[in-house]
Amino acid sequence: MDAQAFDALYRGSVGDVHAYALSLLGERSAAEDVTALAFERLYRARARLDRGRGTPRALLFAIARNAAIDELRRRRRQSPVELVEEAHDVDPTEAIEHVERRDRVRGALAKLSLRDREIVLLKFHGQLSNVELARALGISESNAGSRLHRALERLRSACLELDREEVA
Amino acid sequence: MRVVPFPSADERGPEEAWLAELEAALEGTSEGPAAEAWRELRSDVRSLPAPISTEFEQELHERIVRPREQRRRIPRVRLAGWGRWLDGHRPLVGALASCVAALLVVGFVVKPWDRGSVVAVPMGRPIGVRADSAPFAQAKAASSPATSASAVSGAAVPAPGESVASGREQQRAASITLAATSSEVQSVADGAARVAARLGGFVESSQVQVSRGGSSGAQLTLSVPSANLNAALGSLGQLASLRAESQSLQDITDAYDAARRRLADANAERQALLRALSAAVTQGQIDSLRERLSGAAQRISAAHDEVQGLSRRASNSQVEVTVTGTAHASAAGGSTLHRGLHDAGHVLAVTLTALLIGAAVLVPLALLGLVAAVAGGGIRRYRRERALDRL
């Protein structure tokens, strides 16, 4: 991968990698560390990118995932994990309906297990195909599909449950 | 309030179809409320985290991407391409560096070329004799003149250019083993005889056996002037591939002095008997003295022969030449081309030996490293997956 391609990948992925790490870790500084680490490691591994190890973006998210899980493990050793997602400023012009729906999705995501949450985040932030998802997770495509299926089912159930609670 | 319309269970088919439908919806290639719901969900999930800060993005860009771009703009020096290639092949470079290091270690510590047959032995230098052992051995030889010195036992033998101890009578001998092809044994033996003649010596004995398909060889005993011993060994070594060479030295000063004393005593006795004979008056005295003179003459002759023999032993050296015939021409290398090929083969063999030893060290280490890396990767993966379930 030459410098131009790496630059293009950086510009097209840095926001998504950061969002994925932030969603998983819930802390901006940790997310920034993971993002930087992922790009550094990808640059060092660029020689292996042309050897059928998947797209650079998939490899980037695989590296980010490993780094994020390592960060979670490190935190667990130091203190109990508390995944608190940092809130960000709400656009005042945004429709209240959208804000509520997003809060519901946030709550539903928080109810998921870490394993389910990370595959959903990897799928949506990474925008990876199922094949790329499988490569990033280091499992078979069918296994990745099954896990994604189950995770999205649980997310949907959690959203419906939260919706019912609000209606009630 | 609007309910997010996820696809219902009834609408879903098998898992694969469901996943295909999801893919199509996320890629924007399918339409409908279900597809729209998936896209909306993705949009919601993606909008949850705070956006990346511009400062961090810029800083990271400066740190990671910009240096690569700047490096690209720098005018390339001659080694830039190599440097980039090396940078991209670090494992290979590391492996090569390890090989070179192993070869150096093998070369300077193990020294495989110091074993086995000797090819590049300096002419006239006995095999296995350390240079620093010479003074000790010289002193030993001087204090014990009758001590037999042999190259194998590490005793003193004068090196090329060194002279024997002045005022002492020393007997030198040498043996040399040459390798030639079976067909060259005879010519090598003839060459050895010519060397002896050219240097003022001669062939004491010679035995040459040449057989087709069988073992061939020659055994010659040459006698050459001691002063020409080193030259003789040098010339003999040029006849065929040198396999082994040794020299020995024996101090015969005491024996030589004793023989000379016996000769002098016999001469003195004879002079005294002659004087007594001139003074004898009776026939009995004359007969007795003549008989004693005859005995003295015999002793003089024996002592003279002994002195001559010892003197010859000191002035001439025996060289035992052994020529072994081998089936393969490359092993002998009598001619320059053959010797060159033989030397090249030897260098190749030494190199391969060094590589083999290096590989014997590196391959198990590499395998261990590989196993450790695979096991480490597996353990890391397992811990990560387990962490996902525990956290």
Side-chain angles (χ1 to χ4, degrees):
Chain A
M1 174 184 270
D2 60 15
Q4 269 187 336
F6 188 78
D7 189 28
L9 177 69
Y10 176 84
R11 292 186 190 284
S13 309
V14 66
D16 290 339
V17 173
H18 180 267
Y20 166 73
L22 183 56
S23 299
L24 205 57
L25 299 172
E27 190 184 312
R28 184 181 287 271
S29 63
E32 289 177 351
D33 287 345
V34 165
T35 305
L37 194 69
F39 278 100
E40 281 285 354
R41 285 185 184 169
L42 181 75
Y43 184 80
R44 286 205 297 269
R46 70 194 183 285
R48 300 196 296 268
L49 289 180
D50 301 328
R51 298 178 193 171
R53 292 189 50 157
T55 61
R57 187 178 170 89
L59 182 59
L60 176 67
F61 273 90
I63 296 170
R65 172 186 182 260
N66 289 339
I69 295 174
D70 288 345
E71 169 65 17
L72 288 172
R73 289 175 57 215
R74 191 184 60 77
R75 281 196 214 167
R76 180 169 156 264
R77 282 196 297 270
Q78 290 176 350
S79 60
V81 176
E82 194 175 335
L83 292 174
V84 181
E85 201 164 296
E86 282 189 2
H88 62 95
D89 296 336
V90 177
D91 183 359
T93 62
E94 194 177 6
I96 187 74
E97 185 184 332
H98 288 176
V99 175
E100 286 176 352
R101 194 182 69 217
R102 207 169 53 212
D103 284 345
R104 213 163 35 244
V105 171
R106 190 198 310 276
L109 267 177
K111 283 188 169 184
L112 293 183
S113 69
L114 186 59
R115 184 178 286 282
D116 286 342
R117 188 163 63 233
E118 68 117 6
I119 197 169
V120 170
L121 296 175
L122 204 54
K123 178 71 180 174
F124 288 154
H125 286 298
Q127 302 189 70
L128 304 177
S129 68
N130 288 346
V131 178
E132 291 174 325
L133 195 64
R135 288 220 169 141
L137 294 170
I139 56 178
S140 68
E141 188 184 346
S142 60
N143 196 0
S146 297
R147 279 179 57 182
L148 179 66
H149 183 195
R150 280 199 302 273
L152 286 175
E153 277 290 327
R154 286 174 186 142
L155 179 64
R156 187 192 68 152
S157 300
C159 280
L160 288 173
E161 193 179 325
L162 285 174
D163 189 48
R164 278 192 219 103
E165 283 174 9
E166 278 185 22
V167 171
Chain B
M1 182 171 294
R2 184 181 159 204
V3 176
V4 179
F6 282 99
S8 69
D10 297 335
E11 291 169 340
R12 274 186 277 116
E15 192 174 273
E16 290 79 13
W18 187 89
L19 287 168
E21 187 186 326
L22 173 69
E23 288 287 276
L26 295 179
E27 285 170 8
T29 55
S30 64
E31 296 297 331
E36 189 59 37
W38 282 125
R39 286 194 284 270
E40 210 167 54
L41 177 65
R42 181 180 64 184
S43 172
D44 287 340
V45 170
R46 284 173 61 82
S47 66
L48 287 177
I52 187 170
S53 73
T54 315
E55 295 80 18
F56 171 70
E57 189 181 348
Q58 285 300 321
E59 182 199 329
L60 191 59
H61 188 268
E62 293 287 329
R63 209 170 78 204
I64 297 175
V65 182
R66 184 64 62 81
R68 328 290 180 207
E69 290 176 345
Q70 284 174 349
R71 202 180 297 165
R72 243 183 344 146
R73 289 194 204 102
I74 296 171
R76 288 185 181 179
V77 293
R78 193 180 299 172
L79 291 177
W82 281 100
R84 216 167 38 159
W85 185 88
L86 290 174
D87 192 39
H89 296 78
R90 285 181 189 176
L92 180 64
V93 172
L96 283 175
S98 302
C99 283
V100 170
L103 283 176
L104 287 175
V105 168
V106 167
F108 288 103
V109 177
V110 183
K111 294 183 179 175
W113 46 82
D114 278 358
R115 299 174 190 161
S117 61
V118 179
V119 170
V121 178
M123 291 298 140
R125 168 71 68 185
I127 300 164
V129 176
R130 286 165 55 101
D132 56 1
S133 70
F136 167 74
Q138 288 274 16
K140 188 179 171 186
S143 62
S144 176
T147 301
S148 173
S150 84
V152 176
S153 63
V157 177
E162 291 177 20
S163 61
V164 295
S166 59
R168 303 197 69 85
E169 296 296 329
Q170 292 174 323
Q171 181 184 354
R172 295 175 68 188
S175 67
I176 187 167
T177 303
L178 305 170
T181 59
S182 295
S183 59
E184 291 172 341
V185 167
Q186 183 64 60
S187 63
V188 173
D190 294 345
R194 282 195 297 274
V195 167
R198 178 166 54 83
L199 295 172
F202 57 93
V203 179
E204 285 187 7
S205 66
S206 169
Q207 185 182 358
V208 180
Q209 181 188 353
V210 178
S211 62
R212 289 181 182 276
S215 61
S216 300
Q219 186 80 38
L220 295 95
T221 304
L222 310 179
S223 179
V224 294
S226 294
N228 294 337
L229 177 61
N230 292 333
L233 291 174
S235 297
L236 290 170
Q238 300 291 324
L239 294 175
S241 180
L242 179 62
R243 283 286 178 262
E245 179 190 324
S246 68
Q247 291 186 48
S248 64
L249 182 147
Q250 186 177 7
D251 193 297
I252 54 171
T253 308
D254 282 0
Y256 183 76
D257 290 347
R260 289 191 66 175
R261 274 197 302 275
R262 279 194 294 276
L263 179 61
D265 291 347
N267 276 326
E269 183 186 2
R270 183 170 177 270
Q271 292 299 325
L273 288 171
L274 286 173
R275 280 195 298 274
L277 183 63
S278 63
V281 289
T282 66
Q283 189 60 42
Q285 285 176 328
I286 292 169
D287 291 343
S288 172
L289 286 169
R290 279 186 174 161
E291 192 176 334
R292 290 178 61 187
L293 271 169
S294 174
Q298 286 176 1
R299 282 193 292 279
I300 287 170
S301 177
H304 185 264
D305 288 348
E306 192 179 359
V307 170
Q308 288 289 316
L310 287 170
S311 181
R312 263 199 310 276
R313 283 169 60 188
S315 58
N316 286 322
S317 299
Q318 269 195 347
V319 181
E320 298 285 343
V321 180
T322 305
V323 184
T324 55
T326 57
H328 304 292
S330 59
S335 68
T336 306
L337 177 62
H338 283 171
R339 296 197 66 177
L341 288 172
H342 176 248
D343 289 349
H346 181 73
V347 170
L348 190 63
V350 168
T351 307
L352 287 175
T353 305
L355 282 174
L356 196 64
I357 294 171
V361 174
L362 287 178
V363 168
L365 286 178
L367 284 176
L368 279 176
L370 188 68
V371 169
V374 169
I379 290 170
R380 268 200 308 276
R381 201 175 305 127
Y382 169 74
R383 285 181 175 166
R384 280 175 187 145
E385 295 303 319
R386 203 177 58 169
L388 283 176
D389 294 329
R390 288 187 173 182
L391 291 170

